[in-house]
């Protein structure tokens, strides 16, 4: 068997071996597994849980103070010979508005992390998984084109051999045709390797071993969708996790500012004690209640400084929130432009370029069989068709990636 035919069969054999025993995933199944198992999401979820735990701590009152006091002791260590003993507990009770606003600020900050860190990580990983899945589909499409190219170049070798045996062409044309088969087989091997790498990326996002076999379902397809820029921008501002997280962080800082303002109100200290007094007539048990106010005497220095700091922090996060919104709107506009450009290119290939390249190859082959075209003309037609097919596959992938990027930009599906 000729070497070029062996190379082609070897490439096809590698493909078949790679597909044996593979796990089959649809696009959404792959995304679901990535969201469940990807370590980036697990890390973001733990960060959110840590902020939730801090929010739980913010609900607690200051720790109470337990107190035991002995009076009238004959010696420092003779606590049993006391004249009076006090057992009690003292609790600081802040202004309820201050406690509530601190609690609200902690809850809002945890919510901010849930959106800006966890939900955003889920959106990013889902986007990467979808694009990785589409790249696998694209590599399959390229592999199919390369396989067809091997078949077509082999057919041309057979035609060249027949013309050589008939004395119409020199043996050099047969040799050149065999070289093209070898080159096509090499491109087929490269396409198989590109498919293997794309599968590895998808496996990594799904937290699977990169060497595990995986198969996809379906193929890349172009489905035009009517999109309105203003509606997409409204959806993005309402759904993007980083926008929602920035809004909640700004609300948390406003709640902190309100809590600092409420701290100007004096805190109440309440104490309850049980007294035991020893007298000649017998021990006497009494109750003692204490109430006091912690007056913010140094408010012009400490509380007012904290209030100015809180006010500046509110201004900072509100400015950052505006930056996030502007960035999101820009992402939507750019992503929509990429989708529209890719859509026009796909339509151009489907309507004209592919059909004309295929027709040129058919005409060149027929003319060669009739002795009206040279080997170079047929070779040029073959190469033009192969390049056009690969460009079309890349254009389809570009459209799919641009659409996925637009879905990320608006924070969800375009059809919702």
């Amino acid at each position: 068997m000729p070497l070029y035919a062996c190379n082609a069969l070897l490439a096809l054999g590698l493909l078949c071996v790679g597909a044996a025993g593979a796990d089959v995933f649809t696009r959404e199944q792959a995304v679901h597994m990535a969201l469940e198992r990807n370590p980036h999401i697990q890390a973001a979820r733990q960060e959110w849980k840590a902020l939730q735990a801090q929010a739980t701590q913010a609900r607690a009152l200051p720790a109470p103070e337990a107190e035991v006091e002995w009076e009238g002791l004959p010696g420092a260590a003779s606590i049993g010979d006391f004249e009076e003993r006090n057992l009690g507990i003292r609790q600081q009770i802040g202004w309820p508005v201050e406690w509530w606003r601190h609690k609200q600020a902690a809850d809002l900050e945890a919510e901010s992390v849930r959106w800006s860190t966890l939900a955003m990580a889920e959106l990013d990983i889902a986007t990467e998984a979808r694009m990785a899945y589409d790249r696998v589909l694209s590599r399959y499409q390229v592999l199919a084109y390369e396989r067809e190219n091997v078949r077509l170049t082999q057919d041309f070798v057979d035609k060249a051999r027949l013309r050589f045996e008939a004395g119409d062409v020199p043996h050099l044309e047969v040799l050149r045709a065999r070289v093209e088969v070898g080159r096509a087989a090499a491109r087929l091997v490269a396409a198989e390797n590109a498919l293997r790498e794309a599968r590895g990326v998808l496996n990594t996002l799904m937290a699977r071993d990169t060497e595990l076999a995986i198969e996809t379902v379906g193929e890349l397809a172009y489905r035009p969708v009517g999109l309105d820029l203003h509606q997409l921008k409204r959806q993005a501002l309402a759904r993007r996790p980083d926008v929602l997280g920035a809004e909640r962080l700004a609300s948390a800082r406003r709640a902190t500012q309100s809590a600092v303002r409420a701290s100007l109100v004096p805190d109440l200290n309440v104490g309850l004690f049980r007294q035991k007094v020893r007298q000649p007539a017998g021990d006497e048990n009494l109750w003692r209640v204490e109430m006091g106010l912690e007056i913010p005497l140094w408010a012009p220095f400490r509380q007012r400084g904290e209030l100015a700091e809180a006010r500046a922090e509110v201004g900072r996060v509100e400015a950052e929130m505006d930056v996030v919104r502007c960035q999101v709107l820009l992402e939507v506009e750019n992503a929509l432009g990429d989708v529209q450009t890719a859509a026009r290119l796909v339509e151009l290939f489907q309507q004209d370029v592919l059909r004309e390249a295929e027709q040129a190859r058919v005409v060149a082959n027929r003319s060669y069989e009739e002795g009206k075209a040279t080997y170079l003309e047929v070779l040029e037609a073959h190469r033009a068709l192969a390049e056009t097919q690969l460009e079309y596959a890349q254009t389809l992938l570009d459209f799919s990636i641009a659409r996925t990027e637009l879905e990320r930009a608006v924070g969800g599906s375009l059809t919702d």
Side-chain angles (χ1 to χ4, degrees), residues 221-232:
Y222 169 65
R223 293 183 297 274
V225 178
L227 301 171
D228 178 73
L229 177 60
H230 297 293
Q231 181 181 358
L232 291 174

Side-chain angles (χ1 to χ4, degrees), residues 205-228:
L205 288 168
M206 298 166 63
R208 285 164 41 101
D209 192 322
T210 56
E211 297 181 357
L212 290 177
I214 183 173
E215 288 298 321
T216 53
V217 177
E219 59 183 7
L220 287 182
Y222 169 65
R223 293 183 297 274
V225 178
L227 301 171
D228 178 73

Side-chain angles (χ1 to χ4, degrees), residues 185-206:
R187 288 194 296 272
L188 183 60
V189 172
E192 163 65 16
N193 184 61
L195 174 60
R196 180 190 60 79
E197 292 177 352
R199 285 170 168 168
V201 172
L202 182 57
N203 270 328
T204 300
L205 288 168
M206 298 166 63

Side-chain angles (χ1 to χ4, degrees), residues 14-308:
L14 289 174
L15 176 62
C16 295
V17 171
D23 295 326
V24 180
F25 292 92
T26 65
R27 192 172 187 257
E28 289 311 309
Q29 285 174 339
V31 172
H32 181 71
M33 179 172 286
L35 291 176
E36 280 189 340
R37 303 175 58 180
N38 191 276
H40 293 287
I41 294 178
Q42 300 298 330
R45 184 172 289 111
Q46 295 306 316
E47 182 177 351
W48 172 48
K49 288 182 178 180
L51 263 293
Q52 281 185 307
Q54 292 181 17
T56 301
Q57 298 172 35
R59 301 187 183 101
L61 293 173
E65 296 180 6
E67 183 177 310
V68 182
E69 181 183 8
W70 293 272
E71 295 182 11
L73 298 178
S78 303
I79 60 176
D81 298 329
F82 61 85
E83 292 181 359
E84 182 179 340
R85 183 184 64 191
N86 293 280
L87 301 176
I89 189 169
R90 185 180 287 111
Q91 174 67 57
Q92 182 187 44
I93 302 176
W95 184 239
V97 174
E98 179 186 3
W99 173 83
W100 170 255
R101 296 299 278 175
H102 273 304
K103 169 187 173 299
Q104 190 178 38
D107 289 339
L108 285 170
E109 189 160 354
E111 276 295 293
S112 171
V113 170
R114 182 174 78 87
W115 286 107
S116 60
T117 301
L118 176 57
M120 199 65 201
E122 291 174 342
L123 180 62
D124 288 337
I125 293 300
T127 299
E128 292 181 25
R130 290 188 177 99
M131 291 192 296
Y133 193 94
D134 291 344
R135 287 192 179 95
V136 173
L137 293 179
S138 179
R139 298 298 182 264
Y140 272 118
Q141 191 173 23
V142 169
L143 194 62
Y145 284 144
E146 295 293 5
R147 189 186 302 176
E148 178 66 9
N149 190 35
V150 169
R151 187 187 66 80
L152 293 176
T153 51
Q154 180 59 51
D155 289 344
F156 180 69
V157 169
D158 297 337
K159 293 174 183 178
R161 184 185 299 109
L162 291 176
R163 292 198 63 191
F164 166 71
E165 292 173 355
D168 296 334
V169 297
H171 188 248
L172 179 60
E173 287 198 6
V174 179
L175 296 178
R176 286 178 174 176
R178 289 177 176 175
V179 170
E180 287 302 313
V181 173
R183 294 178 65 185
R187 288 194 296 272
L188 183 60
V189 172
E192 163 65 16
N193 184 61
L195 174 60
R196 180 190 60 79
E197 292 177 352
R199 285 170 168 168
V201 172
L202 182 57
N203 270 328
T204 300
L205 288 168
M206 298 166 63
R208 285 164 41 101
D209 192 322
T210 56
E211 297 181 357
L212 290 177
I214 183 173
E215 288 298 321
T216 53
V217 177
E219 59 183 7
L220 287 182
Y222 169 65
R223 293 183 297 274
V225 178
L227 301 171
D228 178 73
L229 177 60
H230 297 293
Q231 181 181 358
L232 291 174
K233 286 183 175 180
R234 287 194 298 271
Q235 289 178 351
L237 292 178
R239 300 193 303 184
R240 270 287 290 262
D242 47 353
V243 173
L244 298 176
E247 291 174 350
R248 281 156 177 78
L249 183 59
S251 298
R253 294 297 178 264
R254 296 189 196 103
T256 299
Q257 180 183 356
S258 178
V260 173
R261 188 179 295 114
S263 68
L264 295 173
V265 178
D267 291 336
L268 177 65
N269 285 324
V270 178
L272 179 64
F273 295 86
R274 181 67 168 173
Q275 291 182 301
K276 186 173 184 179
V277 181
R278 289 181 173 174
Q279 297 179 354
D283 295 346
E284 186 176 2
N285 294 314
L286 304 172
W287 288 97
R288 188 177 89 239
V289 177
E290 291 182 357
M291 297 188 69
L293 292 177
E294 290 190 4
I295 301 175
L297 184 60
W298 311 116
F301 302 99
R302 186 173 67 85
Q303 277 91 344
R304 290 187 183 277
E306 291 177 355
L307 187 59

